[in-house]
Amino acid sequence: MRVTVSLAALIAVLTAVSAAHFSVTRDADESSRQSAAPAPAPIDTQMMSSAPSAKEIAFAAPERDRQLALAIERALVSRDSQYLETVFNFVLPELLREEPERVVAMFAQQEPGESRNALRDEVARQWIMKDRDAAIEWMSSLEQADRTASVIIATRALAAINPAQAITLADQFGVGSDDGSLEHIVQIWAAEKPDEAVRWIEGQPPGEPRTAQLRARIEHGRSR
């Protein structure tokens, strides 16, 4: 049933995104023309109520994923920030769920620049929330600059729901210690959920300077 809903949602999203993008980029003279809207076609209730067979779903999946990838690629080259944001919010999550390998291949084919960086950051932000192990494996495969940038984004995203995992991720890749990011995460954590933060710091290696620094940040966060 989930696949059936996804197929219907995909059609609706791609249609809406395409329509929105066209309405923004079409010629101003064309947009000013007045035309009578055609009468809507009658709805075939029998077609709407009938669910596709397993064979039909399996046949449609590759084409669906191809269309998802095309939508993302068009958005990346469109230089339309609103269009790109819409695709990132609705289309990218679907493709990450159904065929993440296609997303990885798409990023690898991107030329250096803002669009590539935007895709990298958004994949890191979304994927770390959906499949942490797969996201970490992907980030580990990147070159140093991309790896560091993606881990920073992923750490920030993860910190909002699981600060302990965010700190573990940052430690794994060696980020966040030099710029105070980890201390900030811990301080916010202590301000919002002091008991959790205290339990976490009690499990850290005693006597280490880093533990003492983070403990001080927790105390500061609890006092706010």
Side-chain angles (χ1 to χ4, degrees):
M1 186 60 168
R2 181 181 63 80
V3 178
T4 302
V5 173
S6 295
L7 288 172
L10 168 62
I11 294 172
V13 167
L14 290 180
T15 301
V17 169
S18 298
H21 182 53
F22 176 76
S23 66
V24 171
T25 58
R26 65 184 176 178
D27 186 80
D29 293 335
E30 181 67 22
S31 65
S32 64
R33 296 178 183 175
Q34 300 291 330
S35 60
I43 299 175
D44 189 338
T45 55
Q46 182 178 0
M47 182 179 66
M48 291 181 63
S49 61
S50 61
S53 66
K55 184 177 181 180
E56 290 171 333
I57 291 173
F59 179 80
E63 176 61 20
R64 173 204 59 206
D65 294 343
R66 189 180 74 84
Q67 292 297 330
L68 286 170
L70 285 174
I72 296 171
E73 289 174 352
R74 291 191 188 105
L76 288 170
V77 300
S78 70
R79 299 187 181 278
D80 184 327
S81 59
Q82 185 175 3
Y83 181 38
L84 184 60
E85 181 180 358
T86 302
V87 169
F88 277 171
N89 287 340
F90 295 100
V91 182
L92 180 59
E94 182 78 8
L95 192 57
L96 275 175
R97 179 170 56 248
E98 299 296 339
E99 195 177 357
E101 298 84 1
R102 192 183 287 266
V103 177
V104 171
M106 182 192 308
F107 173 75
Q109 295 169 1
Q110 297 297 311
E111 295 292 332
E114 292 184 5
S115 296
R116 181 179 182 276
N117 293 344
L119 179 61
R120 178 200 63 207
D121 292 351
E122 195 62 26
V123 170
R125 185 184 69 81
Q126 293 189 24
W127 209 358
I128 198 67
M129 310 289 274
K130 298 176 183 295
D131 190 337
R132 190 159 57 96
D133 291 341
I136 289 174
E137 181 178 355
W138 171 67
M139 291 186 293
S140 299
S141 71
L142 301 177
E143 296 294 333
Q144 180 64 49
D146 285 325
R147 182 165 62 249
T148 299
S150 62
V151 170
I152 290 173
I153 295 296
T155 299
R156 291 173 182 171
L158 201 54
I161 61 170
N162 195 321
Q165 288 186 3
I167 294 169
T168 299
L169 176 65
D171 285 343
Q172 179 177 344
F173 287 91
V175 303
S177 298
D178 297 336
D179 60 3
S181 298
L182 290 184
E183 294 181 4
H184 181 69
I185 289 174
V186 168
Q187 183 173 322
I188 297 299
W189 188 11
E192 296 179 348
K193 296 181 179 180
D195 293 340
E196 285 187 9
V198 170
R199 284 195 298 269
W200 175 81
I201 197 64
E202 292 299 332
Q204 300 308 301
E208 292 190 0
R210 177 178 181 271
T211 301
Q213 291 175 354
L214 295 180
R215 187 184 297 276
R217 281 301 185 114
I218 289 176
E219 293 301 323
H220 180 70
R222 294 178 65 190
S223 65
R224 294 179 65 181

